[in-house]
Amino acid sequence: MAKRITPEKRVKLLVCIIKKGDEIALTEACNEQCVALSFSGLGYGTAKSHYLSYLGLDEIEKRIVYSLIPNYSEARVLRAINKKLKLYLMGNGIAFTIPLSGISNLISNAVLSTPVREDAEAQKNTKERGKRKMHELIVAVVNQKFTDAVLDASRAAGATGATILHTRSVNNKQVEQVLGTTFKQETDTIAFLTSSEYKQKIMEAIRECAGLKTDGGAILFSLPVDSIVGIGRFEEDEE
């Protein structure tokens, strides 16, 4: 008789980039599967109009929803979101999970109050995750005047989509003195979701066209992504 393995109980971050009218349906799908804590914000397609279809920003405005969910409900939550929001259709959005290194005990206990249910697919995904290629979330904060150049360079390097947030440099004089550079006040934060094989190429392409010591002043970092649903290359990796 096979030994039952009790999954480790952890909280994960679910990030969903969806159409602006879908946030209620999204949170309903999450809450039907587990105890979840969700927050949302707006993302804007600030690039030139000919980029909009490439970025999946047909409406320009996107809703970005961050949810804290239990790791053992991850597969069910992603399936529910994929079905309810039809993320398998072009332009409807994308959802992915990111591991956390720390969280408040009060929040953790609340989210992990979700009962553990048997999920053969979740066990299979956990077992095979190490065999699959991981995904990465690349984040670039750049001078707004260089947004189009960064999008061109990243696409040539293999990026298949991006989400853009209008941001500002705030009270960074101390780090500017250490780095010997000045950050532009008006910036765009551009997030690229990609498979790990493209991460280095994309980051190098951005450095070449808008690196930290150039007028683009790009600040780059990446985060590991565990699971993902949505249209494009990523679903091919999951098959």
Side-chain angles (χ1 to χ4, degrees):
M1 181 177 178
K3 182 179 178 181
R4 175 180 293 182
I5 300 176
T6 303
E8 179 186 2
K9 300 178 71 174
R10 293 180 290 108
V11 177
K12 299 189 78 170
L13 177 65
L14 170 69
V15 181
C16 302
I17 303 171
I18 57 176
K19 294 189 293 186
K20 61 182 179 181
D22 283 350
E23 65 176 339
I24 298 301
L26 168 67
T27 53
E28 286 177 348
C30 287
N31 293 334
E32 287 168 1
Q33 301 299 324
C34 66
V35 176
L37 178 63
S38 302
F39 301 90
S40 69
L42 295 177
Y44 296 90
T46 55
K48 294 179 180 178
S49 60
H50 64 275
Y51 283 112
L52 295 183
S53 59
Y54 150 56
L55 294 172
L57 294 169
D58 304 285
E59 301 176 74
I60 299 181
E61 185 178 280
K62 286 289 185 179
R63 185 65 65 173
I64 302 173
V65 182
Y66 303 91
S67 301
L68 296 172
I69 64 171
N71 65 316
Y72 48 86
S73 299
E74 177 181 356
R76 292 197 309 274
V77 169
L78 288 173
R79 287 200 303 272
I81 291 172
N82 198 27
K83 181 178 180 180
K84 194 158 193 172
L85 273 64
K86 295 182 174 61
L87 298 188
Y88 46 83
L89 298 178
M90 181 68 71
N92 281 359
I94 198 164
F96 55 93
T97 57
I98 296 176
L100 298 178
S101 60
I103 188 173
S104 158
N105 284 335
L106 290 174
I107 299 298
S108 176
N109 291 337
V111 173
L112 296 180
S113 67
T114 302
V116 177
R117 287 188 279 167
E118 293 293 331
D119 192 324
E121 182 172 337
Q123 294 179 358
K124 179 182 177 182
N125 288 346
T126 300
K127 184 177 180 180
E128 295 181 354
R129 182 169 292 142
K131 301 177 183 179
R132 300 202 310 259
K133 295 179 180 178
M134 294 292 288
H135 302 100
E136 297 277 346
L137 180 68
I138 300 172
V139 178
V141 184
V142 302
N143 178 348
Q144 281 187 352
K145 294 180 180 180
F146 283 76
T147 297
D148 288 346
V150 167
L151 293 172
D152 280 334
S154 61
R155 189 178 189 186
T160 57
T163 299
I164 306 171
L165 301 172
H166 176 56
T167 49
R168 292 171 62 88
S169 173
V170 181
N171 196 20
N172 287 315
K173 290 184 178 180
Q174 189 174 25
V175 72
E176 287 176 347
Q177 290 176 353
V178 175
L179 291 173
T181 189
T182 301
F183 299 121
K184 298 294 183 181
Q185 190 171 27
E186 298 298 321
T187 61
D188 279 334
T189 296
I190 312 172
F192 304 91
L193 190 58
T194 184
S195 56
S196 57
E197 64 180 299
Y198 290 92
K199 182 189 79 169
Q200 198 61 35
K201 296 177 182 177
I202 293 170
M203 295 184 79
E204 288 177 357
I206 294 172
R207 287 192 193 100
E208 288 180 5
C209 77
L212 184 60
K213 294 294 185 177
T214 72
D215 290 339
I219 300 170
L220 283 168
F221 58 91
S222 64
L223 299 168
V225 171
D226 281 348
S227 300
I228 180 171
V229 292
I231 198 69
R233 174 182 293 130
F234 312 109
E235 295 213 321
E236 293 172 6
D237 288 345
E238 294 293 326
E239 293 178 354

